[in-house]
Amino acid sequence: MPHVTSEPVIRPEYIVGFGNPGAEYAATRHNVGAWLIRLLAKRHRATFERHGRMETARIDIEGRTVYLGRPRAYVNESGPPIAAELRRLKIDPTRLLAVYDDIDLPVGQLRIRPQGGHGGYNGMKSLLGAAGTNDFPRIRIGIRSEEHTSELQS
């Protein structure tokens, strides 16, 4: 049974998806966070603008402005560009939603947390340091496949 809480719903103002830049990484599952951001932008017919080492698009969801972001930095260096974009947009870090891959979850399974640590994910480690808080929600998307599991056991 899923855990249900009576906490108030915090609506994110900035959704950022982790992924490595460059053609050589574009099709890797580790970029699933960036894929999600690209898909949301496409569905809302939004275009990205470059601001420093971030690409940001603006969409409207139920009459509210929500920004979508994807760092143009390697995952382990993504924290400072994300924090800089939050400052530029004047968005409190607690209004961030981070989306990234999780090799420990089966493909397509989601794990949603309202806050927490980095869990060994270098992108989150970088972001927590740069944002100065861990008080923002995150969605981890499983990328582990059965064939990958057998590779890890070899």
Side-chain angles (χ1 to χ4, degrees):
M1 180 104 184
H3 176 72
V4 179
T5 177
S6 61
E7 298 288 320
V9 174
I10 305 288
R11 298 185 188 268
E13 295 178 23
Y14 193 60
I15 305 170
V16 65
F18 285 89
N20 286 315
E24 67 271 27
Y25 299 107
T28 66
R29 289 182 182 175
H30 292 290
N31 276 19
V32 71
W35 295 349
L36 175 71
I37 296 302
R38 186 176 66 233
L39 178 63
L40 283 171
K42 184 177 180 180
R43 286 194 177 168
H44 288 270
R45 294 183 174 87
T47 56
F48 287 94
E49 294 179 7
R50 183 106 183 219
H51 299 277
R53 295 193 308 158
M54 288 295 296
E55 289 181 347
T56 297
R58 180 186 177 273
I59 64 172
D60 290 309
I61 299 177
E62 297 178 356
R64 291 181 332 103
T65 297
V66 176
Y67 294 94
L68 306 174
R70 50 187 190 191
R72 303 320 311 158
Y74 289 100
V75 168
N76 60 346
E77 302 169 347
S78 293
I82 295 169
E85 191 67 352
L86 288 168
R87 286 189 301 274
R88 186 187 75 80
L89 294 170
K90 297 178 176 52
I91 296 174
D92 188 273
T94 61
R95 303 305 289 223
L96 172 69
L97 172 62
V99 183
Y100 55 98
D101 67 280
D102 189 329
I103 194 76
D104 293 326
L105 295 175
V107 169
Q109 184 175 327
L110 302 179
R111 182 166 291 152
I112 303 169
R113 300 271 192 239
Q115 61 191 26
H118 58 74
Y121 189 78
N122 288 331
M124 284 300 292
K125 192 180 297 186
S126 175
L127 178 54
L128 294 177
T133 184
N134 67 349
D135 191 22
F136 57 86
R138 64 277 323 262
I139 299 174
R140 299 186 321 194
I141 302 173
I143 63 168
R144 184 186 74 224
S145 65
E146 290 307 314
E147 65 186 45
H148 189 230
T149 301
S150 63
E151 288 172 12
L152 291 175
Q153 293 172 348
S154 300

